[in-house]
């Protein structure tokens, strides 16, 4: 079991700016509060989204673009250092007007409205290459 | 970046009552612990649900009704004051027997079973009209 | 309103092990940190999953098996004692390469990669049989 006890250094709520990029906004929040490790959840709406799906055999991400307004029914993720930069690993569940849900790894999306809760932790989380999955993982 | 550091005043787990209304139950919990700002996540099942989707062009919500039992695979939201009353802004992902997911802004749903985790914060969050989105937003 | 104020005893982030069983990994984390009550959220990917849907009329779970790689777009749940053993009640939203989402109560899934945030609480949560729903509920 790879785990770590974390020491909270701060807790925040944020409203993402309309027209900004969803993941960048979360990374900006982490930068503003100087968090190199954090956990967040959120909700809102976006005017478009690019989700990624990881091919577990081919070991690479494939993008799917949604050029349409979507609710963000769920957003869960964490902030860690990747190659020395803060990276917000972000998964979302979005939905269409009839309620149909689409979900995945969020590469980018344009914020319509967004509400985020973040807990920042003392020690940095650092992503490093994992041989088995070819992903950058922490711990 | 619109954000605020929050001071926790309490942390709670709650079991929503079978037959009650899901969002009202969360607002009752906030009332009982006197929280004018809180963040929550949850899971469970409902016997029906009315989800709303925000039309980002027409700037109004359109409802979709699901008159059927659904699992609540995810529930994320927050409590803030809206016109002086506690309002639980609640997004959910629900699912049907074959696993198909539907999701959106939860207006109301009848609890079959529900489990909620809530963190309450010191300073109230207050929603006010936002010109750009025509939504009531905090911060 | 059935609720309880909880006293946190620890906060953790964990990386689930590739090839392990998702829910067991969460229960192992709870065991390792000696938590008889905890709340968690998470994200990641699995190489297969068995989701359960509760039949609210028949009062029993029906399984749906997904023998395919899926992103885990959301994972929300809690740890409590069930018949004296730690049980991680776990709901997930997963997605396919085209973004299509499937969701429900997670019985088991094989971890491809998984990231979990857990808060552990002082007093145990204990599940007991609930007459109305025929489920094992706490509080």
């Amino acid at each position: 079991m790879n785990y770590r006890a974390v020491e909270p250094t701060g807790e925040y709520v944020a409203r993402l700016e309309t027209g900004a990029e969803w993941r960048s906004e979360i990374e900006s929040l982490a930068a503003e509060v100087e968090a190199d490790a954090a956990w967040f959840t959120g909700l809102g709406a976006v005017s478009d989204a690019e989700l990624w799906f990881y091919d577990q055999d081919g070991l690479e991400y494939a993008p799917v673009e949604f050029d349409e307004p979507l609710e963000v029914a769920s957003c869960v993720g964490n902030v860690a250092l990747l190659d020395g930069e803060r990276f917000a690993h972000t998964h979302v569940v979005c939905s269409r007007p009839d309620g149909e849900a689409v979900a995945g790894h969020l590469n980018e999306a344009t914020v319509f409205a967004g509400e985020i809760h973040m807990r920042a932790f003392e020690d940095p989380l650092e992503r490093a290459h994992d041989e088995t999955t070819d992903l950058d993982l922490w711990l």
Side-chain angles (χ1 to χ4, degrees), chain A residues 4-10 37 119-124:
Chain A
R4 177 195 291 180
V6 289
E7 280 299 318
T9 54
R119 287 177 67 76
F121 307 130
E122 179 71 37
D123 294 323

Side-chain angles (χ1 to χ4, degrees), chain A residues 44-125:
Chain A
V46 293
S47 48
D48 57 45
E50 183 183 305
L51 305 185
W52 285 5
F53 187 91
Y54 195 69
D55 178 341
Q56 296 176 19
D57 295 317
L59 303 180
E60 57 184 1
Y61 277 109
V64 189
E65 295 192 18
F66 296 90
D67 189 19
E68 57 188 308
L70 299 162
E71 294 288 312
V72 177
S74 164
C75 172
V76 182
N78 55 75
V79 174
L81 296 176
L82 174 63
D83 301 329
E85 302 284 327
R86 289 183 186 94
F87 171 68
H89 185 209
T90 307
H91 280 202
V92 293
V93 184
C94 296
S95 68
R96 293 178 160 134
D98 65 355
E100 182 190 357
V102 296
H105 172 108
L106 181 76
N107 183 46
E108 57 181 21
T110 305
V111 175
F112 183 75
E115 297 172 351
I116 296 287
H117 172 251
M118 179 182 283
R119 287 177 67 76
F121 307 130
E122 179 71 37
D123 294 323
L125 282 168

Side-chain angles (χ1 to χ4, degrees), chain A residues 7-42:
Chain A
E7 280 299 318
T9 54
E11 179 164 359
Y12 308 93
V13 292
R15 174 160 76 85
L16 307 186
E17 192 171 324
T18 305
E21 197 283 303
W22 186 282
R23 183 163 62 82
S24 303
E25 282 283 278
I26 295 173
E27 289 162 355
S28 294
L29 171 61
E32 201 143 343
V33 303
E34 296 179 359
D36 292 337
W39 195 269
F40 57 85
T41 57

